[in-house]
């Protein structure tokens, strides 16, 4: 008998981190089966909820941080003041469409074809992120899921031996049972009780007798891929110290960092009798996941999601006002930015500075005109005019994603920066405030906006919004550099006094971007945004101790070490622990 | 679609005698039996257009004076309408428990008439604990024996169902809510509309194909293979439902974690319901034969993530046809149709409207608002026309036997206000005789709660309250 595994799984055998052997000699905290009963089991057999003991945040203490850099620590404390650490709440996390793709690709490489991304409707996004709370099934995505699975199982029916191959054993009952259980265990990433496995394998055996091996195997795949054990991962089973059980913890790491199942990033499930993982095991697992291409691909997705870079078909520029911004140009600018991020984030130790402060870009033939070029070099690499552009915030894909349809939408650009790039609080306009720019107000977009926002009750918000918008006025709605607007010179000068570094007074977008992206406020916002994206939720006050450490280490000595921040985040006990909501 | 009189449930029983009891699932699924005379329990549609019409432009002196307003496309249906003036949402000011703004209040007030919360002081973070009117009516119908087996308790469809800033928060996206259950996530009680017309078509046609007449002249064929396939599907469904229930049990059946699996369970139960009906029909050899099977291509429109009415228009048209299909075959009695969320980001470039509706409102672009207003009126008129084309028997059409609310949120004028007063709601259809239409009604400041009370009473829910009791005076029509 053999269970036909994916080639990828076989390829991983030599490099897997066998956690069951490495780190399972600690205190056993639950029952012997620490894989946990998961989503389909007898609740009496689980390790039960944690004892309620608080989570100790490892890493440097506040005193140690303060000793390293008192000034920076004070700022860290200003942004992240709370002291009591607590784990995130227990939750059921439906796999995102990306995760469904990578998980299925790993499980059924021969049959995976059409992507979940293309087959299932987009999930509701909050601050452009896929939050666990909002991921579930409804009439809108249930049928697309079943149809997506159906087209794969049709292929399985034509090649059942790729999933269950008991031919050598003449399809003996024992072989079929074992093969079915092996498939389900693997599909459920190790989170399946014996009772669950028996239920699936019994059904499979009965099916073979009823409809034959080909259809029975296809049905086995179908019921497995649509089971809660496959499409959800649970962060509910914890040990007494609130730490996720080993198998759930590995899933937390692999999906959080790489959108992939543990097996696909070379992690194997602990043995059935595995105990709690040691911190060193977790650290090693984090390193292993972070070293994978999948982790870098997810990092790229973080940047495009954080910066709300649109898909080519979603740009909102009016074809009549900006006829040059054709679908081909839209596709090119997005691809330029993705290739740029791939290059900048693909180094061993990428820093945020590599993304925000470089004057290099990748340009393609359709997008060259946006940079004032008649053509693009063959390798696409262009050294930009350092007086005009700086880093990703001056790239057309980012600029045009927040423009349009007929203007630069200065305020919208500013609101994006305020909320998403600098994390400044912003409410709705107060009652009775006129947010209209009268049609008779002529001049540059800046002048028009200033004409209606320069009154005291507006400046509460527009003191933040406007500078961020004004500094981008050298870029038109498509992201093309310009010096004139409505027949008058563009005035991109700004003066702000809300940075920890003191007042900033600059007159060009490059100087403004340099000032903002080097600021500690920007770096604390980056810390928050990265936490939100990777955690699938908003931060709470109980996350402050961890966020304080992340921010401090990120900002200290201007390190801006992105991988270092992910490493610290994923290995933190608080990140791998869960408690019921208070 | 050609309509013809056919089998009613009574006919079915008369024709098949004791065998009719075997066909009971089919008969029940048929409801009143398509093609037969419609009985009671009017259909309900919430047709939500996002931002309100520009209110001052929608103040006809009489129901015969719609032609000078953005409601002009509805003029041919004037006798089937009640146009409200002076109606408020939330009594004119948001009924939240903290932060207040009118877009969230407008949407949630429109569909629930009830209070709500914000998770952040931002208009895009509104949410509610309360049931929307469509769900209240659907639940009431499900509790009525003669309607319990309708294939779909409610349909939630749309195109462009999002606000101008879904990437901020989801507070202005949903128009349908069930009552909050313990442990629901913030939007765990909100219902996402299906915006893919092909998907809706498949869902409906699976049921229609059970009911429609294929070729009654053909001799009956051996369908044992089909019965076996359906029986096999049933055993798979039994396994799946048991599988989800086992997971729920493991998580604590009433825990918030278990509730997270409800969408999956509901999905399988819908499939089971359809399969059971199909199996019963296959076993009996009955083909319904009440109306001809509809012909036509599967629609391909998808309104997800779109805000351009040039793109959305065909999707809206397809969805209207699908609502007609659902009603004609009595697959459901309740539809929620989302044409936009609140703070609408929709625009209409081919008509020269390049700014989002939300921006038009706050820019006092009355002309732009009215151009778009006419669009929504045209689509509502198309829906009325579609319902008017369904013969319910007894001299009535489906339009007579329906209550349709043209819903909207707050409006704005040249000084950028956010007004929850003078909302020009429109009620269409006679609610199976409950409403006297063909008039303009001055609400004199009463809240839309009373409109919701009117439609719930027409639906047989004997209550003078819907939503906040303090906003209710009783049925307004």
């Amino acid at each position: 008998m053999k269970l036909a595994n994916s080639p990828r799984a076989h390829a991983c055998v030599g490099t897997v981190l066998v956690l069951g052997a490495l780190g399972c000699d600690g205190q056993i905290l639950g029952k012997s089966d620490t894989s946990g009963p998961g989503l389909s089991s007898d609740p009496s057999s689980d390790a039960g909820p944690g004892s309620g003991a608080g989570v100790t945040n490892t890493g440097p203490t506040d005193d140690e941080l303060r000793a390293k850099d008192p000034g920076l620590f004070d700022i860290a404390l200003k942004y992240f003041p709370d002291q009591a650490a607590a784990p995130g709440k227990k939750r059921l996390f439906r796999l995102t469409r990306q995760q469904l793709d990578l998980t299925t690709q790993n499980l059924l490489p021969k049959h995976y074809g059409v992507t979940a991304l293309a087959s299932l409707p987009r999930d509701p996004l909050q601050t452009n992120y896929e939050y666990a709370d909002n991921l579930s099934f409804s009439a809108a995505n249930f049928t697309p899921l079943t149809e997506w699975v159906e087209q794969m199982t049709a292929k399985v029916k034509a090649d059942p031996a790729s999933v269950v191959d008991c031919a050598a054993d003449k399809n003996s009952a024992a072989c079929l049972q074992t093969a079915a259980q092996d498939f389900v265990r693997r599909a459920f990433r190790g989170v399946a009780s014996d009772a669950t496995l028996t239920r699936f394998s019994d059904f499979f055996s009965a099916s073979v007798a009823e409809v034959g091996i080909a259809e029975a195997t296809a049905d086995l795949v179908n019921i497995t891929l649509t089971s809660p054990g496959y499409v959800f991962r649970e962060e509910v089973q914890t040990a007494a110290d609130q730490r996720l059980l080993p198998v759930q913890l590995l899933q937390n790491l692999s999906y959080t960092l790489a959108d992939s199942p543990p097996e696909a990033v070379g992690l194997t499930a602990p043995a059935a009798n595995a105990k709690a993982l040691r911190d060193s095991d977790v650290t090693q697992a984090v390193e292993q996941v972070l070293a994978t291409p999948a982790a870098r691909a997810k990092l790229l997705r973080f940047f495009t999601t954080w910066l709300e870079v649109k898909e080519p078909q979603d740009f909102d520029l009016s074809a009549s006002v900006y006829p040059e911004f054709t679908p081909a140009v839209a596709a090119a600018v997005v691809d330029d930015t993705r290739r740029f991020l791939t290059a900048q984030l693909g180094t061993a130790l990428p820093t945020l500075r590599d993304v925000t402060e470089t004057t290099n870009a990748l340009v393609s033939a359709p997008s060259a005109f946006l940079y004032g070029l008649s053509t693009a070099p063959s390798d696409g690499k262009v050294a930009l005019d350092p007086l005009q552009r700086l880093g990703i915030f001056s790239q057309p894909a980012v600029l045009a994603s927040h423009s349009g349809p007929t203007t630069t939408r200065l305020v919208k650009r500013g609101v994006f920066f305020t909320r998403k790039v600098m994390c400044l609080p912003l409410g709705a306009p107060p009652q009775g405030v006129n947010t209209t720019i009268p049609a008779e107000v002529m001049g540059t977009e800046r002048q028009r906006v200033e004409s209606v926002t320069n009154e005291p009750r507006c400046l509460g918000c527009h003191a933040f919004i406007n500078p961020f918008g004004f500094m981008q006025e050298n870029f038109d709605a498509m992201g093309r550099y310009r010096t004139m607007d409505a027949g008058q010179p563009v005035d991109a000068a700004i003066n702000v006094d809300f940075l920890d570094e003191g007042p900033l007074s600059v007159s060009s977008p490059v100087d403004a971007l340099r000032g903002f992206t080097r600021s500690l406020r920007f770096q604390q916002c980056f810390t928050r945004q990265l936490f939100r994206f990777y955690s699938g939720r908003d931060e709470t006050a109980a996350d402050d101790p961890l966020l304080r450490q992340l921010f401090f280490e990120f900002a200290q000595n201007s390190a801006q070490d992105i991988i270092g921040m992910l490493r610290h985040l994923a290995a933190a006990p608080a990140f791998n622990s869960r408690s019921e909501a208070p | 679609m050609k309509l013809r009189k056919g089998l009613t449930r009574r006919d079915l029983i008369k024709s098949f005698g004791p065998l009719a009891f075997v066909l009971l699932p089919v008969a029940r699924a048929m409801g009143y039996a398509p093609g037969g005379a419609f009985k009671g329990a009017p259909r309900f549609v919430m047709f939500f257009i996002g931002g309100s019409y520009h209110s001052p432009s929608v103040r006809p002196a009489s129901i015969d004076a719609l032609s000078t307003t953005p409601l002009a496309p509805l003029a041919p249906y004037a006798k089937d309408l009640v146009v409200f003036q002076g109606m408020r949402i939330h009594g004119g000011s948001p009924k939240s428990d903290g932060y207040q703004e009118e877009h969230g209040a407008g949407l949630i007030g429109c569909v629930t008439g009830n209070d709500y919360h914000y998770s952040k002081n931002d208009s895009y973070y509104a949410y509610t604990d309360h049931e929307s009117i469509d769900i209240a009516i659907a639940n009431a119908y499900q509790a009525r024996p003669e309607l319990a087996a309708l294939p779909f308790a409610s349909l939630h469809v749309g195109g462009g169902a999002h606000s101008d800033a879904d990437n901020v928060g989801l507070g202005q996206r949903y128009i349908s809510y069930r009552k909050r259950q313990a442990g629901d996530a913030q939007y765990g009680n909100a219902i996402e509309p299906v915006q893919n017309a092909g998907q809706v078509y498949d869902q409906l046609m699976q049921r229609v194909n059970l009911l429609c007449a294929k070729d009654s002249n053909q001799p009956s064929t051996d369908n044992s293979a089909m019965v076996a396939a359906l029986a096999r599907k049933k055993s798979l469904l039994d396994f799946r439902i048991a599988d989800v229930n086992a997971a729920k049990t493991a998580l604590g059946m009433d825990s918030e974690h278990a509730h997270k699996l409800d969408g999956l369970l509901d999905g399988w139960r819908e499939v089971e319901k359809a399969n059971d009906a199909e199996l019963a029909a296959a076993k009996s050899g009955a083909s319904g034969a009440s109306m001809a099977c509809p012909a036509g291509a599967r629609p391909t429109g998808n309104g997800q993530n779109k805000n351009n009415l040039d793109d959305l228009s065909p999707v809206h048209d397809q969805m209207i046809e699908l609502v007609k299909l659902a009603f004609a075959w009595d697959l459901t009695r309740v539809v929620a149709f989302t044409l936009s969320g609140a703070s609408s980001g929709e625009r209409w470039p081919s008509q020269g409207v390049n700014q989002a509706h939300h921006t038009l409102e706050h820019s006092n672009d009355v002309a732009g608002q009215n151009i778009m207003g006419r669009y929504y009126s045209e689509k509502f008129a198309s829906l009325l026309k579609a319902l008017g084309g369904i013969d319910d028997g007894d001299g009535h059409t489906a339009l007579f036997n329906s209550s349709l609310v043209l819903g909207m949120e707050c409006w704005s004028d040249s000084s950028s206000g956010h007004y929850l007063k003078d909302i020009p709601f429109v009620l269409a259809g006679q609610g199976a005789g409950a409403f006297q239409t063909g008039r303009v009604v001055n609400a004199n400041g009463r809240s839309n709660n009373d409109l919701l009370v009117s439609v719930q009473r027409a639906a047989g829910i004997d209550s003078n309250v819907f939503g906040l009791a303090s906003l209710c005076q009783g049925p307004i029509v």
Side-chain angles (χ1 to χ4, degrees), chain B residues 287-450:
Chain B
S287 61
S290 61
M291 293 194 291
C293 290
R298 181 182 187 270
T300 56
N302 191 334
Q304 198 190 38
N305 204 32
K306 290 187 171 70
N307 62 17
N308 182 334
L309 292 182
D310 293 313
D311 299 329
L312 283 169
S313 181
V315 182
H316 291 157
D317 290 341
Q318 291 169 7
M319 290 295 185
I320 287 166
E321 282 302 308
L322 291 167
V323 173
K324 178 182 180 183
L325 179 73
F327 282 165
W329 289 90
D330 205 24
L331 305 179
T332 188
R333 297 277 173 105
V334 178
V335 169
F337 195 143
T338 312
L339 285 85
S340 170
S343 294
S344 171
E346 289 176 0
R347 55 197 172 80
W348 202 5
S350 67
Q351 304 300 310
V353 181
N354 286 305
Q355 301 290 332
H357 193 278
H358 188 198
T359 306
L360 298 176
E361 295 172 56
H362 291 301
S363 303
N364 190 30
D365 186 339
V366 175
Q369 288 181 68
N370 288 345
I371 288 170
M372 292 188 69
R374 285 182 65 98
Y375 172 88
Y376 298 117
S377 297
E378 283 168 8
K379 295 307 175 194
F380 194 54
S382 293
L383 180 58
L384 301 188
K385 181 181 179 185
L387 268 59
I390 299 174
D391 180 2
D392 268 355
D394 290 343
H396 292 306
T397 68
L399 179 54
F400 175 85
N401 287 316
S402 299
S403 312
L404 303 97
V405 173
L406 177 55
M408 61 205 84
E409 48 122 357
C410 71
W411 65 279
S412 183
D413 64 4
S414 59
S415 62
S416 84
H418 296 73
Y419 302 122
L420 291 172
K421 60 182 182 180
D422 296 323
I423 310 291
F425 285 106
V426 178
L427 172 68
Q430 284 76 27
F435 307 129
Q436 180 196 339
T437 54
R439 56 191 174 131
V440 173
V441 170
N442 189 341
N444 282 319
R446 290 169 69 178
S447 284
N448 68 306
N449 294 64
D450 289 340

Side-chain angles (χ1 to χ4, degrees), chain A residues 11 19 38 47 52 86 92 96 136 174 177 188 196 208 227-228 267 343 356 427 449 454 500 521 548 553 571:
Chain A
L19 290 163
L92 213 52
T96 65
S136 61
Q177 282 270 334
F188 289 3
T196 300
V208 172
S227 169
L267 301 178
T356 59
V449 170
N454 269 347
D500 301 291
R521 174 169 283 283
R548 194 158 59 237
E553 292 181 352

Side-chain angles (χ1 to χ4, degrees), chain A residues 368-388:
Chain A
F369 79 99
L370 293 170
Y371 293 90
L373 303 171
S374 56
T375 185
S378 57
D379 62 359
K381 293 179 180 174
V382 172
L384 302 171
D385 183 343
L387 298 178
Q388 293 186 1

Side-chain angles (χ1 to χ4, degrees), chain A residues 350-423:
Chain A
T351 67
L352 182 55
R353 212 169 28 253
D354 296 336
V355 174
T356 59
E357 293 199 39
T358 181
T359 54
N360 295 323
L362 286 164
V363 178
S364 49
S367 65
F369 79 99
L370 293 170
Y371 293 90
L373 303 171
S374 56
T375 185
S378 57
D379 62 359
K381 293 179 180 174
V382 172
L384 302 171
D385 183 343
L387 298 178
Q388 293 186 1
R389 295 185 194 259
L390 184 73
I392 193 160
F393 290 109
S394 61
Q395 294 200 354
V398 177
L399 291 158
S401 290
H402 302 280
S403 303
T406 57
T407 69
T408 56
R409 291 187 84 181
L410 184 161
V411 172
K412 183 170 181 267
R413 283 178 171 180
V415 167
F416 163 69
F417 246 79
T418 307
R419 278 192 167 122
K420 211 68 186 287
V421 180
M422 301 299 275
C423 296

Side-chain angles (χ1 to χ4, degrees), chain A residues 296-315:
Chain A
R296 292 304 169 99
K298 179 155 187 177
L299 185 56
L300 185 151
R301 285 195 291 280
F302 160 64
F303 272 89
T304 54
T305 306
W306 166 43
L307 300 176
E308 299 176 10
V309 175
K310 290 185 170 169
E311 291 296 321
Q313 68 275 16
D314 292 338
F315 281 96

Side-chain angles (χ1 to χ4, degrees), chain A residues 142-164:
Chain A
F142 173 81
T143 304
L145 171 80
T146 60
E147 290 175 349
W148 177 63
V149 170
E150 193 69 42
Q151 53 87 25
M152 278 181 285
T153 54
K155 295 179 189 171
V156 170
K157 190 173 176 182
D159 182 16
S162 62
V163 177
V164 172

